[in-house]
Amino acid sequence: MVGVELKPAQEQSTCAVSPNTPVWDDGSWGGLPTLDGDASADVCVVGLGGSGLTCVGELLRRGVRVIGIDAGEVAGGAAGRNGGFLLAGTYDFYHDAVARHGHHRARHIYRLTMDEVQRIAAETPDAVRLTGSLRIAESDEEAEDCRHHLAALMADDLPAGWYEGPEGRGVLLPTDGAFNPLLRCRILARRAVDAGARLYEHTSALDIRPGEVRTPAGTIRCRRVIVAVDGRLETIFPELEGRIRTARLQMLATAPTDEVRLPRPVYARWGYEYWQQLPDGRIALGGFRDAGGESQWTHDAEPCEPVQQRLERFLRDGLGVRAPVTHRWAASVSFTDTGLPLLEEVRPGVLALGGYSGTGNVIGALCGRAAAELAVDGASELAEVFASAPRPVPA
Ligand SMILES: Cc1cc2nc3c(=O)[nH]c(=O)nc-3n(C[C@H](O)[C@H](O)[C@H](O)COP(=O)(O)OP(=O)(O)OC[C@H]3O[C@@H](n4cnc5c(N)ncnc54)[C@H](O)[C@@H]3O)c2cc1C
């Protein structure tokens, strides 16, 4: 797929570019069946991305009969199309999280996410590299903010250091990691099927009500429904309109190159840009959502200009990489304005989780486990940590 080309901006009324395939996809997925008829289970999980699959795994661990469905393929949304960063904390940098949520909660969440990175690495070691990550300052003002960021982490005994090196200057977060997000989800899905979960692809939830999920070819009856969908969650639950807003994030990747050597993932310009070098030398780069302005608040999930142009310019001029672009892709994520994810019972017996504000790999997995606890136990300490902590699901 070398030399994938975008249409010129003036032709891009639909912003479409084919085939919108992430660099993570090696084409080896064998697929799962489609649901064909009615079915029943204790819990139905809607959405088989990283959050939903973590939830499925936790439900299986607790001996629950589970059915999982996805409108497309396993991790066909953001979960298999992201930057592959495993970062501790929430959307906010740590000092901002402390200001927003207070020391106790910010530190508790940070520690939970650090532990979750370790858990993810232990669970799927073939997909994960524990490399640490770098937050790099693009200006003196941002360098000053990096110093506040570092000071806040150190004040709370969280591992971090000052970094100056070829990538620039900023904060080194030694416990973060990088992974192939699609590979991880595929491993989790296969493992869940082997453990007895009934997972179906190309099976949309058309209607979600207490105790049942209607799909095109049958109805799933269940005691609980867990909807683990990040981008476009508000289209499934219109009652969340105003609390969740969907945006498109975009990336590109290059052919393998040795023009640079980046041992760890890097994010810069207040987190807007992010890139990492894969073990085979490819560069995966995302960002410039703000360059697209209001047009990036969309349910469309196709890569388009001007964001792709800005990414390529940054690849060439900012990173000094000439290697050809081989992949361009996009996906939807949802944002909240609380700095915390949404995890709550939206309808009786129906839990929704999402709204990770662009950083859902780790916190989404945590929310997936919390949702499983809520569905089984009716309460979850993990869920209580988040500001949008749900009311317990009635037993
Ligand atoms: C370009 C990009 C880069 C990113 N980089 C990072 C990063 O480096 N680190 C990080 O932590 N986060 C990153 N994120 C955010 C992260 O990818 C997401 O927050 C996370 O993957 C969300 O996973 P999920 O499983 O909760 O939801 P999703 O990935 O949104 O999965 C939901 C699934 O539900 C399915 N679905 C939707 N509607 C229905 C329905 N009605 N019926 C059945 N199934 C349905 C979809 O097909 C999809 O497979 C990035 C996101 C993007 C787009």
Side-chain angles (χ1 to χ4, degrees), residues 201-395:
E201 291 182 328
H202 305 291
T203 302
S204 291
L206 301 177
D207 190 24
I208 299 174
R209 294 164 189 245
E212 71 176 46
V213 176
R214 196 164 56 78
T215 78
T219 297
I220 300 165
R221 299 216 157 64
C222 51
R223 289 194 303 118
R224 303 271 180 267
V225 184
I226 297 175
V227 179
V229 173
D230 187 8
R232 291 177 270 190
L233 182 59
E234 74 278 25
T235 63
I236 299 178
F237 297 114
E239 56 267 51
L240 294 178
E241 198 70 55
R243 295 177 55 199
I244 287 271
R245 199 176 180 201
T246 291
R248 166 174 51 202
L249 303 184
Q250 304 196 39
M251 295 194 69
L252 57 72
T254 70
T257 180
D258 57 8
E259 297 166 282
V260 291
R261 205 185 72 76
L262 301 167
R264 346 176 157 74
V266 182
Y267 51 99
R269 197 173 66 91
W270 310 95
Y272 273 111
E273 277 72 74
Y274 44 94
W275 61 94
Q276 63 157 303
Q277 190 163 28
L278 311 190
D280 67 1
R282 292 175 186 278
I283 305 294
L285 164 68
F288 292 105
R289 174 171 62 91
D290 55 331
E294 276 298 303
S295 69
Q296 301 309 296
W297 293 107
T298 172
H299 289 172
D300 186 295
E302 298 286 327
C304 69
E305 307 298 10
V307 174
Q308 288 288 331
Q309 262 171 18
R310 291 294 299 271
L311 283 169
E312 188 157 349
R313 203 186 316 152
F314 182 75
L315 174 76
R316 307 300 182 211
D317 302 342
L319 302 183
V321 171
R322 300 273 134 224
V325 172
T326 55
H327 297 72
R328 298 179 190 272
W329 71 95
S332 299
V333 297
S334 67
F335 285 73
T336 65
D337 58 13
T338 62
L340 290 169
L342 181 137
L343 167 53
E344 68 185 45
E345 188 182 13
V346 284
R347 295 173 189 171
V350 179
L351 283 164
L353 49 145
Y356 309 115
S357 303
T359 57
N361 286 332
V362 179
I363 217 152
L366 272 175
C367 287
R369 288 197 297 110
E373 289 172 10
L374 282 169
V376 177
D377 302 335
S380 161
E381 275 182 28
L382 197 47
E384 294 299 327
V385 172
F386 301 113
S388 52
R391 296 177 298 278
V393 179

